[in-house]
Each structure stands twice: as structure tokens, then as C-alpha cells.
Amino acid sequence: MESLRGRLLIASPSLVDPNFRQAVVLIAAHGESGALGLILNRELEVGLAEVWGQISDEPCVRDQKVRHGGPVGGTLMALHDQRPMADMIIQDDLYVATALNAMEWLAGTVEGRALFYIGHSGWGSGQLESELEEGTWLVLPASADHVFGDLDAFALWKAAATDVGRREIQGLVAPRHIPNDPRTN
């Protein structure tokens, strides 16, 4: 299977696992050994400033909530758009920082966009491919607007699922034959 790095996994409506119900997951890495992703639409109640004191003595100027990346525990990491601070490249405008100096820089400035995560989503070898075959996930190319947009959790899931549906329809029907309002067809 081709790598899904840089793609969104949108939980199908039938997915009832509370960890992923109505989740939109950005795949940061995917290969033969498995996949790693970050849930985009799960915000924790704790602010970054509250967590930051446990990470570093450097100042934190970002006023935002920490995100829940998934059910797999781990250290703090940042999803951002500043290539010089990248420890992992997802695509040209999306990067992951795990190194302390990169996260200190990101937390200490309001330059660019950054989201801070605790935990991540993980799949072992072949597990994600199996879930895709079962129809658990819908797949869509990611954009910075999906990642850094201001939609709430449900609105992001709904918008991403709608985008998948539009892409599917356009693949089946020539766009000039799709009415503005399909209900009038």
C-alpha cells in the first residue's frame, strides 16, 4: 500500500470506539512497520502554559489548549508550519517537532502556527490497512486549513467527511453534471 503520510483519516459514522468516534487524524508517518497520527479535533482542558512549566524553564507565550493526539501515551510534541523547527516532515507546510529546543522556540513565539499534543495514535504493521479495508476510515489529502483551521471538533469531522464525499462523487460523475443542490436533481 502507498504511504498515507500527509493524509487525513476521517472516522466513518459507524466507528464507535470512543478513542476515535468522529475523529479526524493526520497521518504523520506510515510505512511497513505501522503508522503514527495525531487526532486534530480533540482538545484537552489543560492550557499549554500549565504543562509548559514541567517541560522547560523557557517562556511560553502561546495561549492555547493542549491537544490529545490519541490513546498512545508519549511526550509533548508540536504540529507546526515552521520548516527549520521540523524533526519530522509530513508535507511541505506541515511538520512535527519533538526536540526540546524546537518546541521551546515554537512555544516562545507567536510566529507561525503550532499545536501542541500529548499522546498520539498508532497502528502496528498492517493494522491500519486492515481497518481501511473494513471501511473504518475515510481518507482525504490533508491541508494546513484542516490542521490549523478554527472549526470545532464536530464541524471539522463533518467538513472533512463532506470533502471525501465530494471527491468520491467527482470521481464518478463529471463535475459539469453535478447540480449545485443535488436534492433538485
Side-chain angles (χ1 to χ4, degrees), residues 65-81:
K65 300 282 187 190
V66 174
R67 308 262 175 147
H68 175 66
V72 180
T75 61
L76 189 71
M77 66 179 85
L79 180 59
H80 60 90
D81 64 357

mmCIF file with all atom_site columns, all heavy atoms in Angstrom, residues 65-81:
data_model
loop_
_atom_site.group_PDB
_atom_site.id
_atom_site.type_symbol
_atom_site.label_atom_id
_atom_site.label_alt_id
_atom_site.label_comp_id
_atom_site.label_asym_id
_atom_site.label_entity_id
_atom_site.label_seq_id
_atom_site.pdbx_PDB_ins_code
_atom_site.Cartn_x
_atom_site.Cartn_y
_atom_site.Cartn_z
_atom_site.occupancy
_atom_site.B_iso_or_equiv
_atom_site.pdbx_formal_charge
_atom_site.auth_seq_id
_atom_site.auth_comp_id
_atom_site.auth_asym_id
_atom_site.auth_atom_id
_atom_site.pdbx_PDB_model_num
ATOM 1   N N   . LYS A 1 65 ? -4.912 25.630 24.285 1.00 0.00 ? 65 LYS A N   1
ATOM 2   C CA  . LYS A 1 65 ? -5.086 24.359 24.984 1.00 0.00 ? 65 LYS A CA  1
ATOM 3   C C   . LYS A 1 65 ? -4.159 23.318 24.358 1.00 0.00 ? 65 LYS A C   1
ATOM 4   O O   . LYS A 1 65 ? -3.827 23.388 23.181 1.00 0.00 ? 65 LYS A O   1
ATOM 5   C CB  . LYS A 1 65 ? -6.529 23.866 24.860 1.00 0.00 ? 65 LYS A CB  1
ATOM 6   C CG  . LYS A 1 65 ? -7.557 24.808 25.433 1.00 0.00 ? 65 LYS A CG  1
ATOM 7   C CD  . LYS A 1 65 ? -7.616 24.706 26.916 1.00 0.00 ? 65 LYS A CD  1
ATOM 8   C CE  . LYS A 1 65 ? -8.790 25.539 27.417 1.00 0.00 ? 65 LYS A CE  1
ATOM 9   N NZ  . LYS A 1 65 ? -8.785 25.685 28.824 1.00 0.00 ? 65 LYS A NZ  1
ATOM 10  N N   . VAL A 1 66 ? -3.770 22.351 25.161 1.00 0.00 ? 66 VAL A N   1
ATOM 11  C CA  . VAL A 1 66 ? -3.008 21.211 24.656 1.00 0.00 ? 66 VAL A CA  1
ATOM 12  C C   . VAL A 1 66 ? -4.007 20.265 23.998 1.00 0.00 ? 66 VAL A C   1
ATOM 13  O O   . VAL A 1 66 ? -5.158 20.150 24.421 1.00 0.00 ? 66 VAL A O   1
ATOM 14  C CB  . VAL A 1 66 ? -2.254 20.511 25.807 1.00 0.00 ? 66 VAL A CB  1
ATOM 15  C CG1 . VAL A 1 66 ? -1.574 19.233 25.337 1.00 0.00 ? 66 VAL A CG1 1
ATOM 16  C CG2 . VAL A 1 66 ? -1.231 21.457 26.414 1.00 0.00 ? 66 VAL A CG2 1
ATOM 17  N N   . ARG A 1 67 ? -3.580 19.580 22.974 1.00 0.00 ? 67 ARG A N   1
ATOM 18  C CA  . ARG A 1 67 ? -4.422 18.632 22.237 1.00 0.00 ? 67 ARG A CA  1
ATOM 19  C C   . ARG A 1 67 ? -4.113 17.198 22.654 1.00 0.00 ? 67 ARG A C   1
ATOM 20  O O   . ARG A 1 67 ? -3.008 16.896 23.074 1.00 0.00 ? 67 ARG A O   1
ATOM 21  C CB  . ARG A 1 67 ? -4.179 18.776 20.738 1.00 0.00 ? 67 ARG A CB  1
ATOM 22  C CG  . ARG A 1 67 ? -4.314 20.204 20.218 1.00 0.00 ? 67 ARG A CG  1
ATOM 23  C CD  . ARG A 1 67 ? -5.619 20.380 19.656 1.00 0.00 ? 67 ARG A CD  1
ATOM 24  N NE  . ARG A 1 67 ? -5.880 21.745 19.236 1.00 0.00 ? 67 ARG A NE  1
ATOM 25  C CZ  . ARG A 1 67 ? -6.633 22.030 18.222 1.00 0.00 ? 67 ARG A CZ  1
ATOM 26  N NH1 . ARG A 1 67 ? -7.148 21.080 17.483 1.00 0.00 ? 67 ARG A NH1 1
ATOM 27  N NH2 . ARG A 1 67 ? -6.908 23.276 17.935 1.00 0.00 ? 67 ARG A NH2 1
ATOM 28  N N   . HIS A 1 68 ? -5.102 16.344 22.494 1.00 0.00 ? 68 HIS A N   1
ATOM 29  C CA  . HIS A 1 68 ? -4.961 14.912 22.766 1.00 0.00 ? 68 HIS A CA  1
ATOM 30  C C   . HIS A 1 68 ? -4.730 14.232 21.423 1.00 0.00 ? 68 HIS A C   1
ATOM 31  O O   . HIS A 1 68 ? -5.641 14.134 20.603 1.00 0.00 ? 68 HIS A O   1
ATOM 32  C CB  . HIS A 1 68 ? -6.225 14.385 23.439 1.00 0.00 ? 68 HIS A CB  1
ATOM 33  C CG  . HIS A 1 68 ? -6.233 12.912 23.655 1.00 0.00 ? 68 HIS A CG  1
ATOM 34  N ND1 . HIS A 1 68 ? -5.353 12.289 24.508 1.00 0.00 ? 68 HIS A ND1 1
ATOM 35  C CD2 . HIS A 1 68 ? -6.998 11.934 23.134 1.00 0.00 ? 68 HIS A CD2 1
ATOM 36  C CE1 . HIS A 1 68 ? -5.590 11.003 24.500 1.00 0.00 ? 68 HIS A CE1 1
ATOM 37  N NE2 . HIS A 1 68 ? -6.582 10.744 23.670 1.00 0.00 ? 68 HIS A NE2 1
ATOM 38  N N   . GLY A 1 69 ? -3.512 13.764 21.189 1.00 0.00 ? 69 GLY A N   1
ATOM 39  C CA  . GLY A 1 69 ? -3.158 13.189 19.899 1.00 0.00 ? 69 GLY A CA  1
ATOM 40  C C   . GLY A 1 69 ? -3.659 11.780 19.674 1.00 0.00 ? 69 GLY A C   1
ATOM 41  O O   . GLY A 1 69 ? -3.747 11.314 18.546 1.00 0.00 ? 69 GLY A O   1
ATOM 42  N N   . GLY A 1 70 ? -4.019 11.098 20.745 1.00 0.00 ? 70 GLY A N   1
ATOM 43  C CA  . GLY A 1 70 ? -4.512 9.742  20.608 1.00 0.00 ? 70 GLY A CA  1
ATOM 44  C C   . GLY A 1 70 ? -4.267 8.937  21.863 1.00 0.00 ? 70 GLY A C   1
ATOM 45  O O   . GLY A 1 70 ? -3.681 9.431  22.839 1.00 0.00 ? 70 GLY A O   1
ATOM 46  N N   . PRO A 1 71 ? -4.692 7.686  21.837 1.00 0.00 ? 71 PRO A N   1
ATOM 47  C CA  . PRO A 1 71 ? -4.645 6.864  23.045 1.00 0.00 ? 71 PRO A CA  1
ATOM 48  C C   . PRO A 1 71 ? -3.260 6.330  23.421 1.00 0.00 ? 71 PRO A C   1
ATOM 49  O O   . PRO A 1 71 ? -3.101 5.764  24.496 1.00 0.00 ? 71 PRO A O   1
ATOM 50  C CB  . PRO A 1 71 ? -5.594 5.715  22.706 1.00 0.00 ? 71 PRO A CB  1
ATOM 51  C CG  . PRO A 1 71 ? -5.579 5.613  21.217 1.00 0.00 ? 71 PRO A CG  1
ATOM 52  C CD  . PRO A 1 71 ? -5.372 7.018  20.725 1.00 0.00 ? 71 PRO A CD  1
ATOM 53  N N   . VAL A 1 72 ? -2.266 6.526  22.580 1.00 0.00 ? 72 VAL A N   1
ATOM 54  C CA  . VAL A 1 72 ? -0.911 6.054  22.890 1.00 0.00 ? 72 VAL A CA  1
ATOM 55  C C   . VAL A 1 72 ? -0.184 7.176  23.628 1.00 0.00 ? 72 VAL A C   1
ATOM 56  O O   . VAL A 1 72 ? -0.062 8.283  23.112 1.00 0.00 ? 72 VAL A O   1
ATOM 57  C CB  . VAL A 1 72 ? -0.135 5.661  21.612 1.00 0.00 ? 72 VAL A CB  1
ATOM 58  C CG1 . VAL A 1 72 ? 1.259  5.171  21.971 1.00 0.00 ? 72 VAL A CG1 1
ATOM 59  C CG2 . VAL A 1 72 ? -0.894 4.617  20.808 1.00 0.00 ? 72 VAL A CG2 1
ATOM 60  N N   . GLY A 1 73 ? 0.280  6.887  24.834 1.00 0.00 ? 73 GLY A N   1
ATOM 61  C CA  . GLY A 1 73 ? 0.969  7.888  25.633 1.00 0.00 ? 73 GLY A CA  1
ATOM 62  C C   . GLY A 1 73 ? 2.282  8.315  25.006 1.00 0.00 ? 73 GLY A C   1
ATOM 63  O O   . GLY A 1 73 ? 2.839  7.643  24.142 1.00 0.00 ? 73 GLY A O   1
ATOM 64  N N   . GLY A 1 74 ? 2.774  9.427  25.466 1.00 0.00 ? 74 GLY A N   1
ATOM 65  C CA  . GLY A 1 74 ? 4.047  9.915  24.956 1.00 0.00 ? 74 GLY A CA  1
ATOM 66  C C   . GLY A 1 74 ? 4.329  11.309 25.472 1.00 0.00 ? 74 GLY A C   1
ATOM 67  O O   . GLY A 1 74 ? 3.548  11.892 26.216 1.00 0.00 ? 74 GLY A O   1
ATOM 68  N N   . THR A 1 75 ? 5.454  11.839 25.057 1.00 0.00 ? 75 THR A N   1
ATOM 69  C CA  . THR A 1 75 ? 5.866  13.167 25.476 1.00 0.00 ? 75 THR A CA  1
ATOM 70  C C   . THR A 1 75 ? 5.196  14.230 24.620 1.00 0.00 ? 75 THR A C   1
ATOM 71  O O   . THR A 1 75 ? 4.595  13.937 23.582 1.00 0.00 ? 75 THR A O   1
ATOM 72  C CB  . THR A 1 75 ? 7.395  13.312 25.371 1.00 0.00 ? 75 THR A CB  1
ATOM 73  O OG1 . THR A 1 75 ? 7.769  13.111 24.008 1.00 0.00 ? 75 THR A OG1 1
ATOM 74  C CG2 . THR A 1 75 ? 8.106  12.319 26.256 1.00 0.00 ? 75 THR A CG2 1
ATOM 75  N N   . LEU A 1 76 ? 5.346  15.459 25.047 1.00 0.00 ? 76 LEU A N   1
ATOM 76  C CA  . LEU A 1 76 ? 4.791  16.589 24.316 1.00 0.00 ? 76 LEU A CA  1
ATOM 77  C C   . LEU A 1 76 ? 5.454  16.690 22.940 1.00 0.00 ? 76 LEU A C   1
ATOM 78  O O   . LEU A 1 76 ? 6.654  16.467 22.798 1.00 0.00 ? 76 LEU A O   1
ATOM 79  C CB  . LEU A 1 76 ? 5.046  17.871 25.109 1.00 0.00 ? 76 LEU A CB  1
ATOM 80  C CG  . LEU A 1 76 ? 4.348  19.135 24.613 1.00 0.00 ? 76 LEU A CG  1
ATOM 81  C CD1 . LEU A 1 76 ? 2.846  19.040 24.878 1.00 0.00 ? 76 LEU A CD1 1
ATOM 82  C CD2 . LEU A 1 76 ? 4.921  20.356 25.313 1.00 0.00 ? 76 LEU A CD2 1
ATOM 83  N N   . MET A 1 77 ? 4.661  16.991 21.928 1.00 0.00 ? 77 MET A N   1
ATOM 84  C CA  . MET A 1 77 ? 5.183  17.256 20.587 1.00 0.00 ? 77 MET A CA  1
ATOM 85  C C   . MET A 1 77 ? 4.361  18.370 19.964 1.00 0.00 ? 77 MET A C   1
ATOM 86  O O   . MET A 1 77 ? 3.261  18.669 20.435 1.00 0.00 ? 77 MET A O   1
ATOM 87  C CB  . MET A 1 77 ? 5.184  15.999 19.713 1.00 0.00 ? 77 MET A CB  1
ATOM 88  C CG  . MET A 1 77 ? 3.829  15.437 19.369 1.00 0.00 ? 77 MET A CG  1
ATOM 89  S SD  . MET A 1 77 ? 3.918  13.979 18.299 1.00 0.00 ? 77 MET A SD  1
ATOM 90  C CE  . MET A 1 77 ? 4.143  12.698 19.489 1.00 0.00 ? 77 MET A CE  1
ATOM 91  N N   . ALA A 1 78 ? 4.895  18.995 18.933 1.00 0.00 ? 78 ALA A N   1
ATOM 92  C CA  . ALA A 1 78 ? 4.205  20.105 18.288 1.00 0.00 ? 78 ALA A CA  1
ATOM 93  C C   . ALA A 1 78 ? 4.012  19.821 16.808 1.00 0.00 ? 78 ALA A C   1
ATOM 94  O O   . ALA A 1 78 ? 4.914  19.327 16.132 1.00 0.00 ? 78 ALA A O   1
ATOM 95  C CB  . ALA A 1 78 ? 5.000  21.395 18.463 1.00 0.00 ? 78 ALA A CB  1
ATOM 96  N N   . LEU A 1 79 ? 2.825  20.140 16.325 1.00 0.00 ? 79 LEU A N   1
ATOM 97  C CA  . LEU A 1 79 ? 2.494  20.096 14.906 1.00 0.00 ? 79 LEU A CA  1
ATOM 98  C C   . LEU A 1 79 ? 2.522  21.550 14.460 1.00 0.00 ? 79 LEU A C   1
ATOM 99  O O   . LEU A 1 79 ? 1.855  22.394 15.066 1.00 0.00 ? 79 LEU A O   1
ATOM 100 C CB  . LEU A 1 79 ? 1.110  19.471 14.734 1.00 0.00 ? 79 LEU A CB  1
ATOM 101 C CG  . LEU A 1 79 ? 0.544  19.324 13.341 1.00 0.00 ? 79 LEU A CG  1
ATOM 102 C CD1 . LEU A 1 79 ? 1.442  18.485 12.455 1.00 0.00 ? 79 LEU A CD1 1
ATOM 103 C CD2 . LEU A 1 79 ? -0.841 18.694 13.427 1.00 0.00 ? 79 LEU A CD2 1
ATOM 104 N N   . HIS A 1 80 ? 3.308  21.878 13.430 1.00 0.00 ? 80 HIS A N   1
ATOM 105 C CA  . HIS A 1 80 ? 3.540  23.286 13.117 1.00 0.00 ? 80 HIS A CA  1
ATOM 106 C C   . HIS A 1 80 ? 3.831  23.501 11.632 1.00 0.00 ? 80 HIS A C   1
ATOM 107 O O   . HIS A 1 80 ? 3.863  22.549 10.848 1.00 0.00 ? 80 HIS A O   1
ATOM 108 C CB  . HIS A 1 80 ? 4.703  23.815 13.968 1.00 0.00 ? 80 HIS A CB  1
ATOM 109 C CG  . HIS A 1 80 ? 5.990  23.097 13.737 1.00 0.00 ? 80 HIS A CG  1
ATOM 110 N ND1 . HIS A 1 80 ? 6.903  23.496 12.793 1.00 0.00 ? 80 HIS A ND1 1
ATOM 111 C CD2 . HIS A 1 80 ? 6.514  21.980 14.309 1.00 0.00 ? 80 HIS A CD2 1
ATOM 112 C CE1 . HIS A 1 80 ? 7.943  22.671 12.808 1.00 0.00 ? 80 HIS A CE1 1
ATOM 113 N NE2 . HIS A 1 80 ? 7.720  21.735 13.716 1.00 0.00 ? 80 HIS A NE2 1
ATOM 114 N N   . ASP A 1 81 ? 4.069  24.774 11.270 1.00 0.00 ? 81 ASP A N   1
ATOM 115 C CA  . ASP A 1 81 ? 4.332  25.133 9.874  1.00 0.00 ? 81 ASP A CA  1
ATOM 116 C C   . ASP A 1 81 ? 5.696  25.805 9.679  1.00 0.00 ? 81 ASP A C   1
ATOM 117 O O   . ASP A 1 81 ? 5.908  26.495 8.686  1.00 0.00 ? 81 ASP A O   1
ATOM 118 C CB  . ASP A 1 81 ? 3.207  26.016 9.326  1.00 0.00 ? 81 ASP A CB  1
ATOM 119 C CG  . ASP A 1 81 ? 3.095  27.358 10.023 1.00 0.00 ? 81 ASP A CG  1
ATOM 120 O OD1 . ASP A 1 81 ? 3.844  27.619 10.995 1.00 0.00 ? 81 ASP A OD1 1
ATOM 121 O OD2 . ASP A 1 81 ? 2.238  28.164 9.615  1.00 0.00 ? 81 ASP A OD2 1
#
